[in-house]
Amino acid sequence: MKPVEKSQRLSTLSGQKVERYRYNLKVGYELADGKSGEAIITGSSFSNVSYDTVEQPIADLRAAENARERAAREVAEDIRLRLAAHFSSTQ
């Protein structure tokens, strides 16, 4: 269940050096029983976040890294909520 990452240019502001990108992160997950190894719950989650670049190398790298961090937080929160819902419905 390897994460899949993709960054796609969405638009460029005409006459300016600003480009907008979309970063997509898709992650599969599985919760397995510790004794038997049997899968208890499996699923996948994704996040799409946008960021801008301004042809400033350091700023552009930081914008892309920030987008990756935001997407990872969104996916982690989604998985946490799904697991919480699973455990609340099984008790």
Side-chain angles (χ1 to χ4, degrees), residues 5-63:
E5 300 176 276
K6 185 169 82 170
S7 192
Q8 173 186 12
R9 184 172 48 200
L10 298 175
S11 63
T12 302
L13 294 176
S14 62
Q16 297 184 8
K17 297 178 180 181
V18 178
E19 294 182 327
R20 173 150 291 223
Y21 287 83
R22 176 185 297 134
Y23 175 76
N24 175 270
L25 175 64
K26 184 174 182 179
V27 176
Y29 63 92
E30 175 180 282
L31 177 65
D33 182 276
K35 292 180 182 177
S36 68
E38 183 179 329
I40 298 171
I41 183 172
T42 61
S44 64
S45 181
F46 72 94
S47 176
N48 289 306
V49 296
S50 62
Y51 66 97
D52 296 329
T53 61
V54 292
E55 290 192 6
Q56 295 292 321
I58 301 297
D60 294 349
L61 287 172
R62 186 63 200 131

Side-chain angles (χ1 to χ4, degrees), residues 43-89:
S44 64
S45 181
F46 72 94
S47 176
N48 289 306
V49 296
S50 62
Y51 66 97
D52 296 329
T53 61
V54 292
E55 290 192 6
Q56 295 292 321
I58 301 297
D60 294 349
L61 287 172
R62 186 63 200 131
E65 180 63 25
N66 179 270
R68 283 191 290 278
E69 290 171 1
R70 286 184 289 133
R73 279 193 301 273
E74 287 181 10
V75 167
E77 179 67 8
D78 181 55
I79 293 171
R80 186 188 71 79
L81 290 172
R82 289 176 187 216
L83 292 174
H86 169 78
F87 286 117
S88 70
S89 69

